[in-house]
Amino acid sequence: MSLLNREVFWPPADELTEVAERIRARLGGWPAAETRWRICLTVPEAPKADDLIVFSEPHDGAVEGAGAVLEAHGDRVTLRRGEERFALEGDRSDDWLSALAAFLDCNFEPHDALTLALAWRSGDENRDDAWPVDFATFPRVADLPPAPEGGFLACPNALGLYPVLPSAEWVERVLDLGVRTTQLRRKSADPADLQREIARSVEAGRRHDAQLFINDHWREAIAAGAYGVHLGQEDVQTADLSAIAKAGVRLGLSTHGYYEMLRALHFRPSYLALGAVFPTTTKVMPTKPQGLARLGRYVQLLSGRVPLVAIGGIDAKVMPDVLATGVGSAAVVRAVTEAPDTAAAVSSLQQMFASQR
């Protein structure tokens, strides 16, 4: 096991390491950690880039040379890594630091490993499935603005095949083939073009009684009376979520791991997108690919709580494995737009969803 024969805690803490090894042994096989983090219980004389330094009292700012700083006091834990700050609130078990070491060793980014460590409960390693899957034990993301009153309108729990398309012409073509959920991702800075493409797409959605989402351009989506909008994590800070909710426009939010899922759920969106599952070239991703094992765990935690959409690098070859996780929808791009025969590609993908029912 990869925790053995290396420095996990500093100063050396045999009891913490022993518990961490026991927890890690019950978490299953995961890719080797890209960064071998060392959890420092005091500040080393010469901090290193792979040191995560823990303070039990408030500490303002970074420690020169260290990779990350963790401030834990009361029911609040704050992680600082460079300019990024992640604040969580909730109960902590006695084993949370050992669990943190174990989840870091599973190659989770520190903020996601911390989220899982705070969800861990002492003795969980004795269960048949030791992975944290009880939503009630997970922490809350702190310091978020209030969610829109009443939340967002619901959408179907299983959105099915979800093509993300570059133009209204593509939206019309795909809806004509029987698809009932799609997204217009129009990459244009021309306001007239955006207004025209969005209005045309929304009209196509109405004709087909389809779930048509507009990527990013929430103001134009409201003006056109769109079924929904899809926003990224960064857009939550700038978009007027209350205006979107009051307009009766549904909201889908992108997430890239446990912390972002909890952050997104605070706003009570209509669905969560989970990704990128596989490498993708259609847009620059802020995180490495999640993979099927993580997707399966996300679905296990959130299924029945909010509709879920797998996204990122999904094509016909991997679609059966994606659907086997239990996710109710999968977004595709090139599997439709670059297919030699669009109708045949859509029909084949639709059949894969039908076989899962």
Side-chain angles (χ1 to χ4, degrees):
M1 187 174 58
S2 54
L3 277 172
L4 296 174
N5 302 318
R6 71 179 179 89
E7 195 171 45
V8 179
F9 293 94
W10 191 92
D14 292 343
E15 184 176 345
L16 288 176
T17 302
E18 182 178 321
V19 176
E21 289 174 349
R22 189 164 65 244
I23 293 172
R24 178 65 187 89
R26 297 288 290 118
L27 296 181
W30 293 89
E34 295 174 11
T35 300
R36 295 300 183 93
W37 291 96
R38 180 176 69 163
I39 299 174
C40 300
L41 308 178
T42 61
V43 180
E45 290 185 6
K48 303 175 183 177
D50 55 359
D51 282 346
L52 193 162
I53 302 176
V54 179
F55 291 92
S56 58
E57 297 294 336
H59 178 84
D60 187 20
V63 175
E64 186 175 354
V69 167
L70 193 62
E71 176 189 315
H73 58 96
D75 66 351
R76 186 182 180 95
V77 182
T78 302
L79 173 72
R80 291 184 176 86
R81 189 180 182 191
E83 297 298 317
E84 296 183 294
R85 177 180 175 276
F86 308 89
L88 291 161
E89 293 178 343
D91 296 332
R92 302 196 301 273
S93 74
D94 293 339
D95 294 340
W96 78 279
L97 278 175
S98 295
L100 176 60
F103 288 115
L104 286 170
D105 195 66
C106 293
N107 201 31
F108 282 86
E109 290 295 318
H111 55 283
D112 284 328
L114 175 61
T115 302
L116 286 163
L118 296 179
W120 182 266
R121 293 293 176 263
S122 299
D124 277 359
E125 69 272 20
N126 298 321
R127 295 187 292 111
D128 290 340
D129 182 3
W131 200 266
V133 293
D134 181 358
F135 192 84
T137 70
F138 275 73
R140 301 172 301 280
V141 177
D143 304 332
L144 293 176
E149 188 174 349
F152 293 88
L153 291 178
C155 60
N157 189 54
L159 286 165
L161 179 64
Y162 187 164
V164 178
L165 304 166
S167 69
E169 180 183 357
W170 265 108
V171 169
E172 291 169 341
R173 185 187 311 178
V174 168
L175 293 182
D176 284 343
L177 293 171
V179 172
R180 287 296 171 263
T181 304
T182 188
Q183 180 186 134
L184 175 68
R185 183 192 285 169
R186 185 67 173 175
K187 298 179 180 180
S188 172
D190 180 353
D193 174 78
L194 285 173
Q195 185 178 15
R196 182 172 56 251
E197 289 288 305
I198 290 172
R200 182 176 165 185
S201 296
V202 169
E203 176 55 32
R206 287 198 187 107
R207 286 198 310 271
H208 291 278
D209 193 24
Q211 291 87 228
L212 185 282
F213 291 87
I214 305 299
N215 184 271
D216 286 349
H217 302 289
W218 58 271
R219 293 183 184 87
E220 294 83 354
I222 290 174
Y227 178 87
V229 297
H230 180 93
L231 299 177
Q233 286 278 316
E234 67 283 356
D235 300 315
V236 171
Q237 301 295 335
T238 57
D240 188 339
L241 299 186
S242 292
I244 296 171
K246 286 177 182 177
V249 177
R250 291 153 185 83
L251 175 67
L253 288 177
S254 293
T255 66
H256 309 90
Y258 282 102
Y259 180 89
E260 290 190 359
M261 281 186 262
L262 296 182
R263 183 173 183 265
L265 284 173
H266 166 80
F267 298 103
R268 292 178 285 177
S270 306
Y271 75 76
L272 291 188
L274 311 173
V277 182
F278 303 104
T280 176
T281 60
T282 59
K283 63 184 296 187
V284 177
M285 299 305 301
T287 56
K288 57 180 175 281
Q290 301 292 306
L292 287 169
R294 292 193 187 192
L295 176 63
R297 287 300 186 180
Y298 300 158
V299 172
Q300 191 175 7
L301 177 66
L302 298 178
S303 182
R305 185 168 295 274
V306 63
L308 302 173
V309 179
I311 191 169
I314 299 172
D315 58 20
K317 182 177 180 181
V318 299
M319 183 67 81
D321 294 329
V322 170
L323 296 182
T325 67
V327 71
S329 178
V332 297
V333 182
R334 291 179 298 167
V336 169
T337 61
E338 296 184 9
D341 184 331
T342 303
V346 167
S347 176
S348 176
L349 290 166
Q350 293 278 54
Q351 284 299 316
M352 294 179 191
F353 278 89
S355 67
Q356 293 292 318
R357 293 173 188 167

